[in-house]
Amino acid sequence: MKVLVTVKRVIDFNVKIRVKSDNTGVETANVKMSMNPFDEIAVEEGVRLREAGTVSDLIAVSMGPPACQETIRTALAMGCDRGILVESDVDLQPLAVAKLLKALVERENPDLVILGKQAIDDDSNQTGQMLAALLGWPQGTFAFKLVLADGAAEVTREIDGGLETVSLKMPAVITTDLRLNTPRYASLPNIMKAKKKAIDVLSPDELGVDVTPRLTTLKVEEPSKRQAGVMVGSVAELVDKLRNEAKVI
């Protein structure tokens, strides 16, 4: 079985985000970058399937500038067999990523595509669903548990009301949620081995995909600073402030 996992290079989750002075986006220069945490979970799940003998070929895919090769190397050090980078200087939006992934799926013919449910930079939560729609494949989003057997994927999903279990006929698209697993740390020997693993570099033109942005960011602003709390002397005073100052009741 062949599995394709996606890995996105994002600002590290420990870094405090700063908005650019011209309000065109967030500052990424000289900022620590790392693999999207949800994608780490996707890679870990793929590696566990490989260790169980279910998967024979595990491919890590990233899209963006050449620096994304570092993210792919991290996935290779965790246990992926090879990597693919779709190199582009364009700010890739979810639909463009889904179309590029569709082209890669047609090229590689995987049995399963595992993605993080969302990226922590834009929080779109769209790519997996768009990819499934473009491919016409079944999808299991927000995966809490994944079991493969007899050509089907049984996915337990986290939903608002609790958990839901669905059975998907493969090939299928899975998006991972936080509680699916705990990603491993790459060991030093595996980091050294990852340097020798192959990474194929492609371009959107080679895949026949137009990645021209369809959405325009007008302005990026920091949220307003939270004001200090106020002590009130009675319930009546609290109600008065909620009604006349905060205007929430």
Side-chain angles (χ1 to χ4, degrees):
M1 179 184 291
K2 182 187 290 188
V3 173
L4 187 151
V5 293
T6 59
V7 292
K8 185 176 184 181
R9 182 174 181 263
V10 299
I11 296 175
D12 190 88
F13 70 94
N14 287 311
V15 174
K16 180 175 173 54
I17 303 297
R18 291 181 293 112
V19 175
K20 291 181 180 178
S21 57
D22 57 3
N23 295 110
T24 58
V26 298
E27 191 61 64
T28 57
N30 300 316
V31 173
K32 181 183 178 183
M33 310 292 281
S34 62
M35 186 189 301
N36 177 48
F38 290 101
D39 293 340
E40 288 183 345
I41 295 170
V43 172
E44 175 65 25
E45 194 64 20
V47 172
R48 291 187 183 190
L49 291 172
R50 195 185 188 294
E51 291 174 343
T54 308
V55 173
S56 57
D57 192 9
L58 185 60
I59 309 164
V61 176
S62 191
M63 301 176 186
C68 290
Q69 289 201 32
E70 298 174 13
T71 308
I72 295 177
R73 292 289 176 200
T74 301
L76 295 177
M78 290 175 68
C80 290
D81 297 301
R82 56 192 175 96
I84 299 175
L85 171 63
V86 181
E87 194 172 301
S88 173
D89 293 326
V90 176
D91 184 17
L92 297 173
Q93 295 174 350
L95 181 59
V97 173
K99 288 181 176 180
L100 289 170
L101 284 172
K102 177 179 181 286
L104 286 176
V105 166
E106 292 171 347
R107 185 186 184 108
E108 294 288 339
N109 294 313
D111 301 283
L112 200 65
V113 181
I114 307 177
L115 312 89
K117 72 170 185 177
Q118 65 194 72
I120 61 172
D121 52 1
D122 57 16
D123 276 331
S124 292
N125 183 18
Q126 295 175 339
T127 305
Q129 293 88 330
M130 287 178 170
L131 175 61
L134 291 171
L135 290 170
W137 286 9
Q139 59 181 299
T141 55
F142 317 124
F144 173 83
K145 182 180 179 182
L146 173 62
V147 178
L148 304 182
D150 301 323
E154 187 176 279
V155 183
T156 302
R157 305 177 57 239
E158 293 201 34
I159 59 175
D160 290 341
L163 298 175
E164 175 189 56
T165 301
V166 295
S167 181
L168 312 175
K169 185 177 179 181
M170 292 193 288
V173 175
I174 308 293
T175 70
T176 60
D177 215 325
L178 278 175
R179 281 159 287 277
L180 179 61
N181 60 52
T182 301
R184 70 192 65 192
Y185 290 102
S187 64
L188 183 57
N190 286 338
I191 292 173
M192 301 306 293
K193 289 177 185 176
K195 294 181 180 180
K196 297 180 181 179
K197 292 184 179 180
I199 297 180
D200 296 328
V201 180
L202 303 172
S203 69
D205 291 338
E206 288 179 83
L207 296 173
V209 177
D210 179 12
V211 295
T212 304
R214 298 184 176 218
L215 304 174
T216 302
T217 301
L218 301 179
K219 191 176 184 182
V220 177
E221 294 180 312
E222 289 188 13
S224 56
K225 291 189 182 209
R226 186 174 179 178
Q227 297 181 350
V230 177
M231 296 293 291
V232 295
S234 65
V235 173
E237 185 182 352
L238 172 62
V239 172
D240 179 68
K241 286 185 177 293
L242 290 174
R243 179 178 290 121
N244 299 315
E245 293 184 19
K247 299 189 184 300
V248 295
I249 61 173

mmCIF file of all heavy atoms in Angstrom, residues 3 15 17 22 37-39 51 94 168 187 213 243:
data_model
loop_
_atom_site.group_PDB
_atom_site.id
_atom_site.type_symbol
_atom_site.label_atom_id
_atom_site.label_comp_id
_atom_site.label_asym_id
_atom_site.label_seq_id
_atom_site.Cartn_x
_atom_site.Cartn_y
_atom_site.Cartn_z
ATOM 1 N N VAL A 3 1.022 5.396 0.662
ATOM 2 C CA VAL A 3 0.344 6.488 1.370
ATOM 3 C C VAL A 3 1.089 7.799 1.121
ATOM 4 O O VAL A 3 2.321 7.844 1.153
ATOM 5 C CB VAL A 3 0.268 6.213 2.892
ATOM 6 C CG1 VAL A 3 -0.273 7.426 3.637
ATOM 7 C CG2 VAL A 3 -0.617 5.009 3.168
ATOM 8 N N VAL A 15 6.146 30.671 18.660
ATOM 9 C CA VAL A 15 6.557 32.040 18.309
ATOM 10 C C VAL A 15 5.363 32.986 18.410
ATOM 11 O O VAL A 15 4.263 32.668 17.958
ATOM 12 C CB VAL A 15 7.148 32.079 16.879
ATOM 13 C CG1 VAL A 15 7.434 33.512 16.445
ATOM 14 C CG2 VAL A 15 8.404 31.232 16.805
ATOM 15 N N ILE A 17 3.283 35.827 17.083
ATOM 16 C CA ILE A 17 3.092 36.369 15.736
ATOM 17 C C ILE A 17 3.120 37.895 15.779
ATOM 18 O O ILE A 17 2.519 38.521 16.646
ATOM 19 C CB ILE A 17 1.747 35.896 15.145
ATOM 20 C CG1 ILE A 17 1.674 34.374 15.140
ATOM 21 C CG2 ILE A 17 1.553 36.438 13.744
ATOM 22 C CD1 ILE A 17 2.702 33.702 14.288
ATOM 23 N N ASP A 22 3.256 47.403 7.414
ATOM 24 C CA ASP A 22 2.352 47.898 6.373
ATOM 25 C C ASP A 22 1.018 47.146 6.350
ATOM 26 O O ASP A 22 0.200 47.353 5.446
ATOM 27 C CB ASP A 22 3.012 47.808 4.996
ATOM 28 C CG ASP A 22 3.446 46.389 4.651
ATOM 29 O OD1 ASP A 22 3.188 45.473 5.458
ATOM 30 O OD2 ASP A 22 4.049 46.200 3.575
ATOM 31 N N PRO A 37 1.788 21.436 13.203
ATOM 32 C CA PRO A 37 1.548 20.383 14.201
ATOM 33 C C PRO A 37 0.553 19.307 13.756
ATOM 34 O O PRO A 37 0.734 18.126 14.056
ATOM 35 C CB PRO A 37 1.021 21.158 15.417
ATOM 36 C CG PRO A 37 1.617 22.519 15.270
ATOM 37 C CD PRO A 37 1.664 22.781 13.805
ATOM 38 N N PHE A 38 -0.501 19.690 13.058
ATOM 39 C CA PHE A 38 -1.466 18.690 12.586
ATOM 40 C C PHE A 38 -0.844 17.780 11.534
ATOM 41 O O PHE A 38 -1.208 16.600 11.422
ATOM 42 C CB PHE A 38 -2.719 19.375 12.037
ATOM 43 C CG PHE A 38 -3.568 20.021 13.099
ATOM 44 C CD1 PHE A 38 -3.521 21.387 13.310
ATOM 45 C CD2 PHE A 38 -4.417 19.260 13.895
ATOM 46 C CE1 PHE A 38 -4.298 21.988 14.283
ATOM 47 C CE2 PHE A 38 -5.202 19.851 14.878
ATOM 48 C CZ PHE A 38 -5.143 21.217 15.076
ATOM 49 N N ASP A 39 0.105 18.322 10.753
ATOM 50 C CA ASP A 39 0.795 17.499 9.762
ATOM 51 C C ASP A 39 1.767 16.532 10.433
ATOM 52 O O ASP A 39 2.017 15.439 9.919
ATOM 53 C CB ASP A 39 1.533 18.386 8.755
ATOM 54 C CG ASP A 39 0.575 19.185 7.882
ATOM 55 O OD1 ASP A 39 -0.597 18.784 7.790
ATOM 56 O OD2 ASP A 39 0.993 20.201 7.300
ATOM 57 N N GLU A 51 5.246 0.889 9.980
ATOM 58 C CA GLU A 51 5.871 -0.011 10.949
ATOM 59 C C GLU A 51 5.024 -1.267 11.188
ATOM 60 O O GLU A 51 5.559 -2.333 11.503
ATOM 61 C CB GLU A 51 6.112 0.731 12.267
ATOM 62 C CG GLU A 51 7.192 1.809 12.167
ATOM 63 C CD GLU A 51 7.327 2.629 13.440
ATOM 64 O OE1 GLU A 51 6.398 2.606 14.275
ATOM 65 O OE2 GLU A 51 8.360 3.300 13.597
ATOM 66 N N PRO A 94 -5.754 27.302 -0.407
ATOM 67 C CA PRO A 94 -6.234 25.926 -0.268
ATOM 68 C C PRO A 94 -6.666 25.252 -1.570
ATOM 69 O O PRO A 94 -6.344 24.090 -1.807
ATOM 70 C CB PRO A 94 -7.410 26.069 0.701
ATOM 71 C CG PRO A 94 -7.035 27.236 1.547
ATOM 72 C CD PRO A 94 -6.339 28.191 0.625
ATOM 73 N N LEU A 168 -14.799 3.807 5.161
ATOM 74 C CA LEU A 168 -14.530 4.374 3.842
ATOM 75 C C LEU A 168 -13.877 3.330 2.950
ATOM 76 O O LEU A 168 -12.932 2.656 3.356
ATOM 77 C CB LEU A 168 -13.592 5.585 3.959
ATOM 78 C CG LEU A 168 -13.937 6.641 5.012
ATOM 79 C CD1 LEU A 168 -12.845 7.692 5.055
ATOM 80 C CD2 LEU A 168 -15.287 7.281 4.725
ATOM 81 N N SER A 187 15.171 10.889 15.793
ATOM 82 C CA SER A 187 16.458 10.606 16.430
ATOM 83 C C SER A 187 17.603 11.098 15.545
ATOM 84 O O SER A 187 17.441 11.273 14.331
ATOM 85 C CB SER A 187 16.613 9.101 16.672
ATOM 86 O OG SER A 187 16.649 8.400 15.440
ATOM 87 N N PRO A 213 -3.422 33.198 -7.222
ATOM 88 C CA PRO A 213 -4.337 33.413 -6.085
ATOM 89 C C PRO A 213 -5.689 33.946 -6.537
ATOM 90 O O PRO A 213 -5.774 34.798 -7.419
ATOM 91 C CB PRO A 213 -3.601 34.441 -5.227
ATOM 92 C CG PRO A 213 -2.158 34.289 -5.595
ATOM 93 C CD PRO A 213 -2.160 33.944 -7.054
ATOM 94 N N ARG A 243 -25.373 46.135 30.375
ATOM 95 C CA ARG A 243 -26.413 46.687 29.509
ATOM 96 C C ARG A 243 -25.993 48.000 28.864
ATOM 97 O O ARG A 243 -26.178 48.200 27.656
ATOM 98 C CB ARG A 243 -27.710 46.871 30.300
ATOM 99 C CG ARG A 243 -28.849 47.481 29.470
ATOM 100 C CD ARG A 243 -30.129 47.616 30.273
ATOM 101 N NE ARG A 243 -30.718 46.304 30.542
ATOM 102 C CZ ARG A 243 -30.954 45.825 31.753
ATOM 103 N NH1 ARG A 243 -30.647 46.553 32.828
ATOM 104 N NH2 ARG A 243 -31.489 44.638 31.917
#
